[in-house]
Amino acid sequence: MAEGENEVRWDGLCSRDSTTRETALENIRQTILRKTEYLRSLKETPHRPSDRISNSESSDGLNKLLAHLLMLSKRCPFKDVREKSEFILKSIQELGIRIPRPLGQGPSRFIPEKEILQVGSEDAQMHALFADSFAALGRLDNITLVMVFHPQYLESFLKTQHYLLQMDGPLPLHYRHYIGIMAAARHQCSYLVNLHVNDFLHVGGDPKWLNGLENAPQKLQNLGELNKVLAHRPWLITKEHIEGLLKAEEHSWSLAELVHAVVLLTHYHSLASFTFGCGISPEIHCDGGHTFRPPSVSNYCICDITNGNHSVDEMQVNSAENVSVSDSFFEVEALMEKMRQLQECRDEEEASQEEMASRFEIEKRESMFVFSSDDEEFTPARDVSRHFEDTSYGYKDFSRHGMHVPTFRVQDYCWEDHGYSLVNRLYPDVGQLIDEKFHIAYNLTYNTMAMHKDVDTSMLRRAIWNYIHCMFGIRYDDYDYGEINQLLDRSFKVYIKTVVCTPEKVTKRMYDSFWRQFKHSEKVHVNLLLIEARMQAELLYALRAITRYMT
């Protein structure tokens, strides 16, 4: 009788047909009532040790169902499902059963909930996008609700992710989710690990694999080294890494499978950056997203604080500390002035190739001395670290370990001319989808900067993108790297480097300290640039190594 949430059919709720949803909800209601009655009967009978175990299992199973219903009542794009889920929860509460309530203040710990689009208040176009996402994954996750600031990008992102996880491809479905778990775990991103553990089980994955990477097939274990290097020091990837995977006898990867795996790894490394960079809160139905404790007098309890879920008012007070409006206003004006001056310099004279190369090396060296004050070592939690090996391996700047990493010249190997065609040849259509996503993130603009309108932001967007690639040792011959120091101040560089290289160390203080007069939507836009530039950098190193192996 101790059926958990995985034994309940939630699929019907994803249907566009209201009758199908109604039938599914009624089945869920009946299941919950049966479990409630069963728990009551256990309480009324004399206790044996086996009864206590059964009672605990049944209670846990019911709690999972109720947490899932709570998520649906807040996050389902279909109004009938939201209302019926809330009705079922209230009727269970009336029977004397404790029901859960959400923890925290919305999809992000960094962005006030009132600034994020509320489910149920979206327009028709956004509703269609929400419904598509819900139909594909059975949820409308917090990442989607934060990305919704930029609908054009979100649509491209969801289409790409759906193709990678669910459409025809070289890898079986459970492998795809397991690789997502492996990739997210490298950055201790329990948010993504939890989501994909559920998805992995839903598509029939073996629960034993979740006890640790050593329980997964040897073929997936072999991917651990590539996952590690790709996540933390992609410039060290060689054709020998590729050869080791393709020639592992009975555990060998095919080229097509490997390209699929590489795209998944880079996708989830980057998504971990977005998750931490935007302070994404745990999903309502996952650990840390809900509680069965009653609310305290002040409307949030001590457990909320320890989870980083401070009240909106408190967050606004904290972020206002030490920041005067005139100071942050001046920052915007100064940045606008620098952009004007740089444009004038560009029009008047062009630096020589030697000077440009020298400026790149200076910026690359300087990027090694950008680190956060929170840059202490810490050990990942066991529930996440079991999904990867070598927990001590992390990001290190190229020259910190005494080795010179040759500059990766985009003129010799670039995404447009080389990477795109290789991906598309071995995993059809994915190259096109990724390319579209890169272009949307890079070119996205509303021609605004904080309170200013009709601004050409291309110079600033390019500086951010190229700074990230510079940190990875990737150089564009036609770019003047002197512009980066002019446009990106130190607090912004600290935030960028932390999000891209060690996202698990991002703090709300870092998020608040850069671009203080800019809107949250603009900071989310920055994060889109960061994750796409990071993904492209990782892909370039991995695909170049595959190309070298093939030639």
Side-chain angles (χ1 to χ4, degrees), residues 59 90 140 232 251 257 338 340 365 401 492 517:
S59 181
K90 280 183 179 165
L140 199 57
H232 304 299
H251 306 300
E257 288 174 331
K338 282 175 184 170
R340 278 193 288 271
R365 273 197 307 277
H401 31 75
F492 192 17
Q517 273 287 301

Side-chain angles (χ1 to χ4, degrees), residues 246-257:
L246 297 173
K247 293 189 173 177
E249 297 175 352
E250 72 267 29
H251 306 300
S252 291
W253 292 74
S254 71
L255 266 173
E257 288 174 331

Side-chain angles (χ1 to χ4, degrees), residues 323-338 340 449-452 489 515-518:
V323 179
S324 76
V325 174
S326 59
D327 280 354
S328 46
F329 178 81
F330 178 72
E331 282 178 1
V332 180
E333 297 302 312
L335 182 54
M336 297 272 291
E337 181 56 33
K338 282 175 184 170
R340 278 193 288 271
M449 267 180 65
M451 68 295 290
H452 295 280
D489 65 23
W515 283 11
R516 291 171 294 184
Q517 273 287 301
F518 284 72

Side-chain angles (χ1 to χ4, degrees), residues 269-281:
H269 293 155
S270 301
L271 203 52
S273 284
F274 186 86
T275 301
F276 287 114
C278 291
I280 300 294
S281 301

Side-chain angles (χ1 to χ4, degrees), residues 5 52 160 183-184 200 208 301 306 374 426 437:
E5 72 161 325
R52 281 199 295 275
T160 305
F200 171 78
K208 291 194 196 76
C301 62
T306 53
D374 306 296
L426 293 168
K437 190 159 60 77

Side-chain angles (χ1 to χ4, degrees), residues 354-390:
E354 292 76 13
E355 180 62 23
M356 302 262 262
S358 168
R359 288 175 187 174
F360 169 79
E361 291 302 328
I362 290 168
E363 190 55 53
K364 190 169 85 170
R365 273 197 307 277
E366 282 190 6
S367 78
M368 293 175 202
F369 299 103
V370 173
F371 53 90
S372 76
S373 55
D374 306 296
D375 205 10
E376 74 282 347
E377 294 295 321
F378 62 95
T379 308
R382 163 68 190 155
D383 64 331
V384 172
S385 65
R386 63 184 168 200
H387 300 299
F388 64 92
E389 298 162 328
D390 197 357

Side-chain angles (χ1 to χ4, degrees), residues 26 67 69 200 244 263 359 370 379 455 491 507 517:
E26 181 55 28
L69 269 183
F200 171 78
V263 173
R359 288 175 187 174
V370 173
T379 308
V455 183
S491 62
T507 63
Q517 273 287 301

Side-chain angles (χ1 to χ4, degrees), residues 422-475:
L422 178 62
V423 171
N424 242 22
R425 188 163 83 247
L426 293 168
Y427 186 8
D429 298 332
V430 165
Q432 178 68 42
L433 289 166
I434 296 170
D435 187 61
E436 179 186 286
K437 190 159 60 77
F438 286 157
H439 278 287
I440 289 172
Y442 187 87
N443 296 312
L444 188 65
T445 183
Y446 306 95
N447 299 111
T448 59
M449 267 180 65
M451 68 295 290
H452 295 280
K453 294 180 178 176
D454 302 316
V455 183
D456 179 359
T457 60
S458 55
M459 180 185 289
L460 189 53
R461 283 180 278 123
R462 191 177 184 194
I464 294 168
W465 188 280
N466 287 2
Y467 178 59
I468 294 157
H469 280 197
C470 177
M471 290 191 303
F472 283 90
I474 298 171
R475 182 188 165 216

